[in-house]
Amino acid sequence: EGWISCATPCLHIGRRRLAQRNSSGLLLLAMDDWKAAFGEEWDAVVLGTGMKECLLSGLLSVAGKKVLHLDRNDYYGGASASLDINQLFEKFQAGAPPSEAELGKLRDWAVDMVPKFIMAGGQLVKVLIHTKTANYMEFKAVDGSYCYRAPKARSSGEFGRVHKVPLTPKEALSSSMLSMLEKGRMGKFTMWVASIDCGKPEGFFEDGSFRDMPYWTRVGMTGRKKMPLTQWNGDQFFKDWGLEAGTIEFLTHVCALYRDESWRSAPALEVVSRMQLYLESRTRFAGMTSPYLYPLFGLGELPQAFARLAAVHGGTYMLNRDLDGSPVFGPNDLSLEYAEDGTVAGVVNHDGEEAVVARTKTVVGDPSYFAGKTKPTGSVVRAIALLDAPLAEMEKDGASSCQVIFPAAQCGRCNDLYLFLCSNAHKVAPVGKYVAFLSTKVEGPTQGMSNEQIAHRELAAGLALFTRPGAPMPLHLFYDAYPTYAPLTNGTKDRVFISESFDATSHFETAINDVLDMYQRITGETLNLDALAAAASAEQ
């Protein structure tokens, strides 16, 4: 009960002779083979094995493209890798090695560096179905979706509260987030959002300021009221419904997943569509109590699953490790070569003094491979806590995993905070242990500050959940901060397509949108995921 899919992982089948498996079960090319691979011409060369890059490699391979996929690391996953407990302690220089007496069975830990849940009705699930990558993985539903509310007087020393998101009539009636009158309004609103078809307006205005504009309707005090969702913005839409500010806040930040107040100027139809995705995701599979899924053994399974997919469809993968463990690529390798017209012509690797070029007219990769072709977009700060007990609110609901969103206004900020918590139920921690991630976009100056100092300033509201009376005190607490980047251009001119850095959100919706937009720019085609996923499901 609660399991989404159970499948035996498929073997990684490469295009050429593959001599040895790495520790993840994926296969490495022998030295002679990588030189032969570089000597060929490829439809695309992909740099980096992060989730976005592996997903694009898989999609391009399924579309019949000949793909060479390279990584300067000797492991899969890049920034989105999952670390075992020893790697985690080493990365954050924890001092003493991890202890089983304190942390339980050490081999059971799998800690994601970019922790994100998957919306059950979202685009990534459709990609998994279309590409049949779900056959290589197992997923489990996340138990709870929560919203943070600050104390009425923040200077009083009181702690904020975490509330379960009320979306069903039963939950609305029992929720302390809503007043008695608001519970009725909320029930009507939720039923209306779930009932309309955003793609099929009920009619078009024939006169007035909305001439020829589509409209939808709802029952008002004096009959059916026309609602021009393509003309209204989010502010106008919610003003028409008359919902309380606190209700609008959790609907826009927790359900529609806006990271800030941009929902106010966003088209009302977009706001409604995003809330529908939340509602539909919650009922996507039987027994779900939140809209989210998460793979067993962590998100590091995603890049490897798409790597297997690409290999099955003819892709070739090269990690930075030869069969004897020595690196294949040096620090200055994997540079780009350009044709006279300014378009990319290949990826260069140096073998001693000899330059070996993998010929291609399309290069795809993450920002770390393209110095000078990206721009900074800010920074993300994250705290990683290893716990031996869940949040009290989770324990009350019998939840072993959850997401908590802290709307920015509740924390005196401009950007939301995200808390992501999982346990042994998703095979990322030993029995009785939990791993929690708290992240947000950095808003203040950071010069001269340590990661811990940045985290305590930016994540204060979330960290307070672990210091309030009765809270689970972290066994270990690690702090991470990293800059984020975006490409300077869209890549269509020089055929170099660069992904955006992962943001602070604890869900994949922004990441998958970046992937699909890149796919359209690379191929000139738009993936109709609804039709493709339906066709793939029918085949099965």
Side-chain angles (χ1 to χ4, degrees):
E1 182 179 356
W3 294 93
I4 302 309
S5 65
C6 294
T8 302
C10 176
L11 290 178
H12 180 117
I13 304 170
R15 296 184 65 252
R16 56 183 66 253
R17 181 174 62 84
L18 295 163
Q20 180 177 309
R21 292 185 182 274
N22 67 7
S23 59
S24 301
L26 293 167
L27 298 173
L28 303 174
L29 287 167
M31 181 65 79
D32 290 342
D33 289 329
W34 82 253
K35 290 181 179 179
F38 263 73
E40 295 186 20
E41 185 161 348
W42 302 86
D43 293 325
V45 174
V46 180
L47 302 180
T49 54
M51 191 283 293
K52 292 183 180 182
E53 288 68 44
C54 285
L55 204 163
L56 281 164
S57 179
L59 287 172
L60 292 171
S61 296
V62 170
K65 306 298 183 184
K66 182 182 174 184
V67 178
L68 175 63
H69 202 146
L70 312 173
D71 198 312
R72 64 163 68 98
N73 297 311
D74 62 358
Y75 57 87
Y76 280 82
S80 50
S82 295
L83 304 185
D84 64 35
I85 195 68
N86 292 300
Q87 292 170 326
L88 182 72
F89 273 55
E90 182 180 349
K91 176 179 174 64
F92 292 104
Q93 300 177 348
S99 163
E100 285 205 349
E102 178 187 37
L103 295 171
K105 193 174 293 185
L106 297 183
R107 70 178 185 180
D108 289 346
W109 289 98
V111 181
D112 291 327
M113 290 297 94
V114 184
K116 291 181 182 288
F117 289 137
I118 301 169
M119 293 288 284
Q123 300 283 55
L124 182 52
V125 168
K126 295 172 185 175
V127 171
L128 290 167
I129 294 172
H130 159 54
T131 59
K132 299 183 176 64
T133 311
N135 295 338
Y136 306 140
M137 303 179 66
E138 295 176 331
F139 296 86
K140 191 180 186 302
V142 174
D143 292 330
S145 178
Y146 296 84
C147 180
Y148 172 82
R149 284 281 176 87
K152 292 183 179 180
R154 292 181 184 169
S155 59
S156 65
E158 296 181 13
F159 292 90
R161 296 183 60 191
V162 173
H163 302 263
K164 190 172 183 180
V165 177
L167 285 179
T168 66
K170 182 179 179 180
E171 290 172 349
L173 287 173
S174 62
S175 176
S176 58
M177 292 182 69
L178 306 172
S179 66
M180 288 304 298
L181 288 175
E182 189 71 350
K183 290 176 180 179
R185 288 191 289 262
M186 175 66 181
K188 292 179 181 177
F189 176 81
T190 303
M191 290 177 63
W192 180 84
V193 169
S195 67
I196 74 162
D197 186 338
C198 287
K200 294 182 179 179
E202 297 174 46
F204 291 82
F205 287 96
E206 297 178 357
D207 53 26
S209 58
F210 299 138
R211 178 182 294 276
D212 298 326
M213 294 296 295
Y215 67 79
W216 289 255
T217 65
R218 72 177 180 91
V219 177
M221 296 293 292
T222 58
R224 299 198 69 83
K225 181 176 183 180
K226 295 179 179 180
M227 306 182 70
L229 299 182
T230 57
Q231 185 74 13
W232 281 352
N233 59 30
D235 247 345
Q236 293 169 309
F237 170 72
F238 282 110
K239 183 178 180 181
D240 185 77
W241 277 95
L243 296 171
E244 295 176 359
T247 305
I248 296 172
E249 182 180 67
F250 84 74
L251 285 171
T252 52
H253 288 257
V254 182
C255 301
L257 297 177
Y258 284 96
R259 292 175 279 178
D260 48 32
E261 294 299 286
S262 59
W263 62 268
R264 294 183 179 277
S265 57
L269 189 62
E270 174 192 297
V271 177
V272 174
S273 296
R274 292 174 71 151
M275 287 189 289
Q276 282 189 338
L277 172 60
Y278 188 97
L279 291 170
E280 292 166 0
S281 294
R282 184 153 175 187
T283 57
R284 178 69 173 81
F285 300 100
M288 293 191 67
T289 53
S290 87
Y292 304 109
L293 304 174
Y294 191 64
L296 299 190
F297 306 105
L299 287 174
E301 296 296 300
L302 267 178
Q304 293 191 53
F306 281 107
R308 293 185 182 98
L309 171 74
V312 167
H313 287 272
T316 296
Y317 275 73
M318 295 174 57
L319 297 180
N320 193 15
R321 184 174 64 186
D322 195 17
L323 297 182
D324 61 2
S326 60
V328 176
F329 312 126
N332 298 317
D333 287 340
L334 303 183
S335 57
L336 302 184
E337 183 177 286
Y338 292 89
E340 292 184 2
D341 63 0
T343 60
V344 72
V347 175
V348 182
N349 186 42
H350 298 274
D351 179 31
E353 297 182 357
E354 178 187 2
V356 185
V357 182
R359 296 293 174 189
T360 185
K361 295 181 180 179
T362 299
V363 172
V364 180
D366 73 59
S368 69
Y369 287 85
F370 304 100
K373 298 180 75 68
T374 61
K375 59 185 177 183
T377 56
S379 297
V380 170
V381 61
R382 180 171 291 116
I384 304 172
L386 308 184
L387 309 167
D388 59 5
L391 297 175
E393 293 82 1
M394 293 174 59
E395 202 163 22
K396 176 184 175 183
D397 294 332
S400 61
S401 55
C402 75
Q403 172 175 252
V404 183
I405 292 181
F406 298 66
Q410 297 294 321
C411 311
R413 296 174 47 80
C414 298
N415 294 275
D416 294 355
L417 271 63
Y418 299 88
L419 175 63
F420 167 115
L421 193 148
C422 272
S423 68
N424 180 259
H426 283 92
K427 309 299 182 186
V428 296
V431 175
K433 306 298 181 184
Y434 300 79
V435 57
F437 307 87
L438 186 66
S439 57
T440 192
K441 183 175 182 178
V442 175
E443 294 183 354
T446 60
Q447 186 173 2
M449 297 177 67
S450 67
N451 289 348
E452 181 174 354
Q453 290 171 324
I454 297 169
H456 278 275
R457 183 189 68 195
E458 303 285 342
L459 302 172
L463 291 173
L465 291 184
F466 302 113
T467 59
R468 58 184 176 166
M473 292 296 293
L475 301 171
H476 290 273
L477 193 55
F478 305 103
Y479 305 97
D480 192 19
Y482 60 88
T484 57
Y485 298 92
L488 288 172
T489 67
N490 66 10
T492 54
K493 186 175 181 179
D494 62 3
R495 300 296 298 172
V496 178
F497 301 93
I498 307 171
S499 63
E500 296 181 4
S501 301
F502 285 102
D503 58 30
T505 59
S506 54
H507 55 81
F508 264 117
E509 289 309 291
T510 53
I512 190 64
N513 288 338
D514 184 31
V515 169
L516 295 177
D517 182 59
M518 289 180 68
Y519 182 87
Q520 192 278 328
R521 284 183 274 129
I522 293 167
T523 65
E525 301 173 1
T526 300
L527 281 177
N528 185 342
L529 288 176
D530 289 318
L532 292 171
S537 296
E539 288 179 12
Q540 294 178 344

